[in-house]
Every structure is written in C-alpha cells, then in structure tokens.
Amino acid sequence: MLVNGKEMRSLWFEDGCLKLIDQRKLPAKLEIFEAKSVEEVAYAIKEMVVRGAPAIGCAAVYGMAMAKDARKAAEILRNTRPTAHDLFYAIDYMLKKIEEGEDAIKSADAYVESIIEKCRKIGENGKKIIPKNARILTHCNAGALATVDYGTALAPIRMAKDRNIFVWVDETRPRLQGLLTAWELEQEGIDYAIIADNAAGYFMKKGEIDLVIVGADRIAKNYDVANKIGTYEKAVLAKENEIPFYVAAPLSTFDESIENGDEIEIEERSEEEVMNIYPWKPKKARNPAFDVTPARYITGIITEEGIIKLDNK
Ligand code: MRU
C-alpha cells in the first residue's frame, strides 16, 4: 500500500520483533507498535493495534514463531478474538509447520507472503465486476491495513482506480474503521466520501450506489458471511434496492467445519467502545463486533481462485 507516496506493509518482522502500524492511532498518527513475545502479539490483537481477519492471522504466525512453547502460544492467541477464521487457520498452519520441524520464522514469512498474493489475486478477479464510473459502497476497513497489503474489498477497488470510480465509506461505529478506509483511499488518490452508517440506505434509494463490496471474518459452508457489525443491514438494503452485493475474502476465511452462520461465535466487545463519545453515561450498552449476512443477500464472493456466484441479484 502507498503511505505518503512510498510502498509500505501494515506489519513486518524485523530484528526479532513484530512491527505493526498501530491502527488505534491512525489516521491521526502513523506509529509503529513493537511486539516482542507471543503475549505482546496477543495484546496487539485483542486491543486492535492490528485488526482485520487476514492481518490478525499474519500477526499470530509471528507470535507463534517467537514463542518457546507452540501449544501454549496457540492457546494464548486463540483466546484473543473469536470470530475471524483466519486467526485460527494461521495458528493451525504454524502448529503443523513447527511440529514438522520447519523453521518457524521462515514459515511465518511464507504465510504472510501467501496472504499478500491471495489479496493481489482477489484484486485481479474482483476488478472485473467494477464498471467505469462505478460508485461503490464499502463497510469497515477491508484494506491493506486489514490484510498486510492490497486488502480484500479494497483490492479490486485499488486495481480499478483508473476507471473514474468513487467510494462511499461507512464510518463504522463504534471503532470508526471507516476512517482507516478513508485514509487508505486518500493515500491511493481514490475519490471517496465518508458517511454515517445510517446514511447508506438514503444514498442507495437515490440511485447513488452502484455496487457494494465488503470483507469477511468467517464464511460458513452455506456461504453465510460474518463481517463487521452493520454489514447485514447493508446487504438487506442492497437487495431491496437491487444493488449487487459482493463479499471479498481469501479461502482462509472459509470455515468448512460449520454448516451455516448461526454457528459463528460473535465477539462482544466492551460497552465503553460504544459510549466513549457520549457527554453522559447511559446505564448500559451492547457492542456486538460482527453480524451474519445470510447467503441469500450476497451476489458473489470474490476469492483468489475466482468469483463464487450466488446469483441472488
Ligand atoms: O473488528 P475488526 O476491525 O477486526 O473487523 C474487521 C472486519 O470486519 C473486516 O471487514 C474483515 O476482517 C475483513 S478484513 C480484510
């Protein structure tokens, strides 16, 4: 991804330490967080220094590589965030490599390179569905920050940037990941406007949104998709307004062990995340971090191997 005109990744391993762009500080400040142990990597995932399904998997592989006891490290990392399948996929990958006696750092590097390549291919495959002058809505941040490079939902958008496209960016309360998307788009010189989460239906109804592309945290066997809270309502609105709704995700996000979205564990985060902008403290808040979009609302899923057409539009 471009950061101030130079190529950069959202995380990398250097001098025995995992370096992460601190996503809690962006876009206001570009700061690098250093994690030197599996406990520090687990902290970074839980506190969302690093976030986005593929990126937390990529952070986890280095957490595993730095640990002395792989089984214990796996346990610590599994207990950070429950919803993103990539995290569990990455941990299992490293357990296998370590048990086979492979070099842990080299295996972690190879994992990250493979995720980047998968995202590049998602971009190549996904740009086919983006017509000239398209006005695309996205939710949360499924960009390079969330995947090390390219992104999932943002990969096709990056690759279609010479088609005079425009991106509608949902703000994405309560953590405001939309600001991260806006920052990435600005770095790439792609035109966009950020909107309050509840404004998407208004613009759909006015005919100002041609296409929706979002990322995914876990995809069930029947193609139900867990993604950032608010995705479900965007999908329902898209169907009502006859707007194609695409999900972009690498195959590492697909969970073959579950039949449908009801089986996906949804992370519930602290009520402070919802209330911290209020001038007064209500008695209670709820803060589910994800929701599940049933497959019937999804037009297609863009993967590194092609587009799975669900033919719902
Ligand atoms: O809570 P977050 O910010 O980790 O949630 C991220 C999302 O929901 C993304 O859309 C998803 O992980 C796909 S990232 C390529």
Side-chain angles (χ1 to χ4, degrees), residues 48 51-54 81 140-142 146-147 152 177 215-217 227-228 290:
M48 296 175 69
R51 46 144 298 281
R81 301 191 71 190
C140 192
N141 170 267
T147 64
T152 54
Q177 288 93 333
D217 280 83
N227 190 49
K228 179 54 52 197
F290 303 96

Short mmCIF file of all heavy atoms in Angstrom, two decimals, residues 48 51-54 81 140-142 146-147 152 177 215-217 227-228 290, ligand 1:
data_model
loop_
_atom_site.label_atom_id
_atom_site.label_comp_id
_atom_site.label_asym_id
_atom_site.label_seq_id
_atom_site.Cartn_x
_atom_site.Cartn_y
_atom_site.Cartn_z
N MET A 48 -6.69 -4.44 19.31
CA MET A 48 -6.88 -3.92 17.95
C MET A 48 -5.81 -2.92 17.51
O MET A 48 -6.08 -2.01 16.73
CB MET A 48 -8.31 -3.39 17.77
CG MET A 48 -9.32 -4.51 17.92
SD MET A 48 -11.05 -4.00 17.88
CE MET A 48 -11.26 -3.49 16.19
N ARG A 51 -5.78 -5.31 13.28
CA ARG A 51 -7.17 -5.78 13.17
C ARG A 51 -7.45 -6.15 11.72
O ARG A 51 -6.64 -5.86 10.84
CB ARG A 51 -8.15 -4.71 13.68
CG ARG A 51 -7.80 -3.33 13.13
CD ARG A 51 -8.98 -2.51 12.84
NE ARG A 51 -9.81 -3.11 11.84
CZ ARG A 51 -9.55 -3.06 10.52
NH1 ARG A 51 -8.48 -2.48 10.04
NH2 ARG A 51 -10.38 -3.61 9.66
N GLY A 52 -8.60 -6.78 11.48
CA GLY A 52 -8.92 -7.29 10.15
C GLY A 52 -8.49 -8.76 10.10
O GLY A 52 -7.39 -9.10 10.54
N ALA A 53 -9.38 -9.60 9.57
CA ALA A 53 -9.18 -11.05 9.69
C ALA A 53 -7.81 -11.55 9.18
O ALA A 53 -7.05 -12.16 9.93
CB ALA A 53 -10.33 -11.77 9.00
N PRO A 54 -7.45 -11.28 7.90
CA PRO A 54 -6.16 -11.80 7.45
C PRO A 54 -4.97 -11.22 8.22
O PRO A 54 -3.99 -11.92 8.51
CB PRO A 54 -6.11 -11.41 5.97
CG PRO A 54 -7.56 -11.29 5.59
CD PRO A 54 -8.22 -10.69 6.79
N ARG A 81 -9.48 -13.06 19.93
CA ARG A 81 -10.72 -12.66 19.28
C ARG A 81 -11.33 -13.91 18.65
O ARG A 81 -10.65 -14.64 17.93
CB ARG A 81 -10.45 -11.57 18.22
CG ARG A 81 -9.81 -10.32 18.81
CD ARG A 81 -9.80 -9.17 17.81
NE ARG A 81 -11.14 -8.64 17.59
CZ ARG A 81 -11.43 -7.77 16.62
NH1 ARG A 81 -10.49 -7.37 15.77
NH2 ARG A 81 -12.67 -7.32 16.49
N CYS A 140 -16.60 -0.86 7.05
CA CYS A 140 -15.43 -1.19 7.88
C CYS A 140 -14.15 -0.91 7.09
O CYS A 140 -14.13 -0.09 6.17
CB CYS A 140 -15.51 -2.65 8.33
SG CYS A 140 -14.32 -3.07 9.62
N ASN A 141 -13.08 -1.58 7.43
CA ASN A 141 -11.84 -1.48 6.65
C ASN A 141 -11.42 -2.87 6.25
O ASN A 141 -11.05 -3.69 7.11
CB ASN A 141 -10.71 -0.79 7.43
CG ASN A 141 -9.38 -0.90 6.70
OD1 ASN A 141 -8.60 -1.83 6.94
ND2 ASN A 141 -9.12 -0.01 5.76
N ALA A 142 -11.51 -3.17 4.98
CA ALA A 142 -11.02 -4.44 4.43
C ALA A 142 -9.93 -4.10 3.43
O ALA A 142 -9.91 -4.56 2.29
CB ALA A 142 -12.16 -5.23 3.81
N ALA A 146 -5.88 -4.24 6.94
CA ALA A 146 -6.55 -5.42 7.46
C ALA A 146 -5.98 -6.73 6.91
O ALA A 146 -6.42 -7.81 7.30
CB ALA A 146 -8.05 -5.34 7.14
N THR A 147 -5.01 -6.61 5.99
CA THR A 147 -4.51 -7.83 5.32
C THR A 147 -3.01 -7.81 5.03
O THR A 147 -2.54 -8.63 4.24
CB THR A 147 -5.19 -7.98 3.93
OG1 THR A 147 -4.78 -6.87 3.13
CG2 THR A 147 -6.68 -8.03 3.99
N THR A 152 -8.88 -6.91 0.90
CA THR A 152 -9.81 -7.84 0.24
C THR A 152 -10.83 -7.00 -0.53
O THR A 152 -10.72 -6.86 -1.74
CB THR A 152 -10.47 -8.78 1.27
OG1 THR A 152 -11.09 -8.00 2.29
CG2 THR A 152 -9.46 -9.76 1.84
N GLN A 177 -13.62 2.19 11.87
CA GLN A 177 -12.68 1.64 10.87
C GLN A 177 -12.84 2.31 9.51
O GLN A 177 -11.94 2.23 8.68
CB GLN A 177 -12.89 0.12 10.73
CG GLN A 177 -12.40 -0.70 11.90
CD GLN A 177 -13.48 -0.97 12.90
OE1 GLN A 177 -14.44 -0.21 13.03
NE2 GLN A 177 -13.37 -2.06 13.63
N GLY A 215 -15.61 -6.97 3.17
CA GLY A 215 -14.75 -8.11 3.51
C GLY A 215 -15.54 -9.15 4.30
O GLY A 215 -16.78 -9.11 4.34
N ALA A 216 -14.82 -10.08 4.92
CA ALA A 216 -15.48 -11.12 5.72
C ALA A 216 -14.55 -11.58 6.83
O ALA A 216 -13.33 -11.55 6.68
CB ALA A 216 -15.84 -12.32 4.84
N ASP A 217 -15.14 -12.01 7.92
CA ASP A 217 -14.37 -12.58 9.03
C ASP A 217 -14.47 -14.09 9.08
O ASP A 217 -13.54 -14.76 9.52
CB ASP A 217 -14.81 -11.96 10.36
CG ASP A 217 -14.16 -10.60 10.52
OD1 ASP A 217 -14.68 -9.63 9.95
OD2 ASP A 217 -13.07 -10.54 11.14
N ASN A 227 -19.27 -10.58 9.18
CA ASN A 227 -18.39 -9.41 8.93
C ASN A 227 -18.79 -8.33 9.93
O ASN A 227 -19.71 -8.51 10.75
CB ASN A 227 -18.53 -8.95 7.47
CG ASN A 227 -17.47 -7.91 7.10
OD1 ASN A 227 -16.28 -8.12 7.36
ND2 ASN A 227 -17.87 -6.79 6.53
N LYS A 228 -18.10 -7.22 9.86
CA LYS A 228 -18.30 -6.12 10.82
C LYS A 228 -19.77 -5.79 11.03
O LYS A 228 -20.56 -5.77 10.07
CB LYS A 228 -17.53 -4.90 10.29
CG LYS A 228 -17.62 -3.64 11.11
CD LYS A 228 -17.24 -3.82 12.56
CE LYS A 228 -15.90 -4.48 12.78
NZ LYS A 228 -15.72 -5.00 14.16
N PHE A 290 -19.62 -8.05 15.28
CA PHE A 290 -19.89 -8.61 13.94
C PHE A 290 -21.36 -8.99 13.83
O PHE A 290 -22.05 -9.13 14.84
CB PHE A 290 -19.02 -9.87 13.71
CG PHE A 290 -17.54 -9.58 13.85
CD1 PHE A 290 -16.88 -9.83 15.04
CD2 PHE A 290 -16.83 -9.01 12.81
CE1 PHE A 290 -15.53 -9.52 15.19
CE2 PHE A 290 -15.48 -8.71 12.93
CZ PHE A 290 -14.83 -8.96 14.14
O1 MRU B 1 -13.09 -5.70 14.28
P1 MRU B 1 -12.26 -5.63 13.05
O2 MRU B 1 -11.85 -4.24 12.69
O3 MRU B 1 -11.08 -6.58 13.11
O4 MRU B 1 -13.22 -6.16 11.91
C1 MRU B 1 -12.74 -6.22 10.60
C2 MRU B 1 -13.77 -6.59 9.60
O5 MRU B 1 -14.90 -6.84 9.92
C3 MRU B 1 -13.30 -6.73 8.19
O6 MRU B 1 -14.32 -6.40 7.29
C4 MRU B 1 -12.88 -8.18 7.95
O7 MRU B 1 -11.99 -8.62 8.93
C5 MRU B 1 -12.25 -8.36 6.62
S1 MRU B 1 -10.65 -7.61 6.59
C6 MRU B 1 -9.99 -7.91 5.08
#
